[in-house]
Amino acid sequence: MYNRPIYLDCHATTPVDERVLAVMLPYFTEYFGNPSSSGHIYGWEAEAGVKQARDTLAKAINASLEEIVFTSGATEANNLAIKGIAEAYFSKGRHIITLQTEHSAVLDPCNYLRGVGFEITILPVQPDGLIDLDIFQQALRPETILVSVMAANNEIGVLQPLAEIGAICRAAGVLFHTDAAQAIGKIPLDVEEMKIDLLSMTAHKIYGAKGIGALYVRRRNPRVQLSAQLHGGGHERSRRSGTLYPPQIVGFAKAVEIALAQMETETKRLTTLRQNLWQQLSKLEGIYLNGHPTQRLPGNLNISVEGVDGAALLLGLQPIVAVSSGSACSSATIAPSHVLTALGHSETLAYASVRFGIGRFNTACEIELVAQHVTATISSLRRQKTRV
Ligand SMILES: *Cc1c(COP(=O)(O)O)cnc(C)c1O
């Protein structure tokens, strides 16, 4: 029988948890109504499921249910936040601040806005991937309307100091958006404590389905204005039109509920697995850790490997472990990722890199096997190279 490789690419996506699937299924066939149909029970049933899910998601970040806008995922939530704020506040100012290591779903909307007359400051990060709060503070201007800094990085797992950033933004009267696609359900998030005004989330990174996400939009202190990007039936208080998707929505809430209930034990378990993997791999010469050693997602390990070709390394790993690469030296077709480039060390640019995303369904046994295989593959590629 053909065995599929061990899945260690949980920053790209995750499988749907069986418990999530179980709550979704009745909403496809039995409670199939349109939540907007207010004239009969089919609509009420669907609306009841959506309302409960909205409440669960809001409570997960210490918000209230009117502040949750459902979207197709974090890409759409980021676009709605950034373009929606730009359109609503352009008469106040046209300056936005973000980070070099943001996901393209933040950087690309910002670049789009630059093309239509906004000024975008893209801040560098420190060599460990963290924001430099002094440089950040100096970048704020009277005409700054929005700061967008992610909660957890999708490549190097680095956790930004949200409460510090939020406090600086609030004091300056600037709105604070965070892309929490990788963070929700994995680290504690509190929009009050962290003074977050807009927060993007998605289900498929936490064992929910693809195609569903949400944007939190603060309603008081301050009340955030947002220009809709999808116009139509006026759903979601006219902030995002389009028929709601109850199966995905109830599943999303269940996924968050499970993640929160398991957060403490999973953090411990995944941290141990990641540390074991790193302990084994760092026995080799010329292996470097990318990103802050401890202020990172428990399941994230991102390494640069000296003296091997990135494409050859991935090819060697493929049959045993499914991972993703951030860069590849000497492979003309693959450029180093913008995140690794932003860290600014020469080794992350010149060397091959691998991102391991360890998740809920990985076992200690699998990690041991992966450690052995990665070690053997790197050693073998290096031997071949010296022979040439
Ligand atoms: C996955 C991811 C996204 C995109 O989310 P989708 O729901 O797939 O659109 C955005 N930002 C970060 C940090 C991500 O990890």
Side-chain angles (χ1 to χ4, degrees), residues 276-299:
N276 289 348
L277 182 57
W278 175 234
Q279 217 160 38
Q280 302 269 332
L281 297 182
S282 58
K283 285 180 190 158
L284 290 163
E285 299 276 311
I287 306 269
Y288 306 90
L289 180 70
N290 294 316
H292 194 281
T294 53
Q295 202 167 323
R296 67 194 300 143
L297 288 171

Side-chain angles (χ1 to χ4, degrees), residues 17 19 185-186 207 255-270 360-361:
D17 190 299
R19 293 165 287 182
K186 296 177 196 156
Y207 314 93
V256 167
E257 200 180 292
I258 295 170
L260 290 184
Q262 301 187 345
M263 193 190 290
E264 217 172 301
T265 51
E266 269 298 272
T267 298
K268 283 203 194 103
R269 192 184 73 88
L270 292 174
R360 182 176 294 167
F361 303 113

Side-chain angles (χ1 to χ4, degrees), residues 294-369:
T294 53
Q295 202 167 323
R296 67 194 300 143
L297 288 171
N300 175 280
L301 183 70
N302 190 310
I303 59 166
S304 283
V305 186
E306 185 182 7
V308 299
D309 180 80
L313 179 57
L314 269 197
L315 205 67
L317 297 181
Q318 238 170 49
I320 303 293
V321 56
V323 286
S324 119
S325 152
S327 76
C329 73
S330 74
S331 286
T333 48
I334 314 170
S337 86
H338 71 279
V339 174
L340 295 178
T341 307
L343 300 182
H345 350 259
S346 51
E347 63 267 23
T348 59
L349 303 186
Y351 303 163
S353 93
V354 183
R355 174 186 74 179
F356 299 94
I358 311 167
R360 182 176 294 167
F361 303 113
N362 293 121
T363 63
C365 194
E366 286 179 332
I367 298 303
E368 181 59 34
L369 210 95

Side-chain angles (χ1 to χ4, degrees), residues 11 72-75 78 103 105 150 152 154 179 181-182 202 204-205:
H11 302 299
S72 63
T75 299
N78 288 344
H103 193 274
M150 71 200 322
N154 49 297
D179 175 353
Q182 295 285 348
T202 189
H204 77 98
K205 309 281 172 78

Side-chain angles (χ1 to χ4, degrees), residues 51-61 253-254 256-257 260:
K51 186 173 178 196
Q52 203 195 341
R54 207 187 283 282
D55 191 51
T56 301
L57 290 166
K59 288 202 172 110
I61 56 169
K254 184 68 179 174
V256 167
E257 200 180 292
L260 290 184

Side-chain angles (χ1 to χ4, degrees), residues 13-17 20-21 24 28 71-74 201-213 245 247-255:
T13 196
T14 55
V16 172
D17 190 299
V20 170
L21 182 64
M24 290 174 69
F28 284 106
T71 64
S72 63
M201 34 186 159
T202 189
H204 77 98
K205 309 281 172 78
I206 46 161
Y207 314 93
K210 294 165 191 61
I212 188 71
Y245 196 176
Q248 312 299 84
I249 288 170
V250 299
F252 185 12
K254 184 68 179 174

Side-chain angles (χ1 to χ4, degrees), residues 79-81 83-85 87 227-231 238-240:
N79 272 268
L80 177 57
K83 295 181 200 162
I85 290 299
E87 257 187 61
S227 283
Q229 302 299 303
L230 280 182
H231 302 94
S238 291
R239 293 172 297 191
R240 199 275 191 185

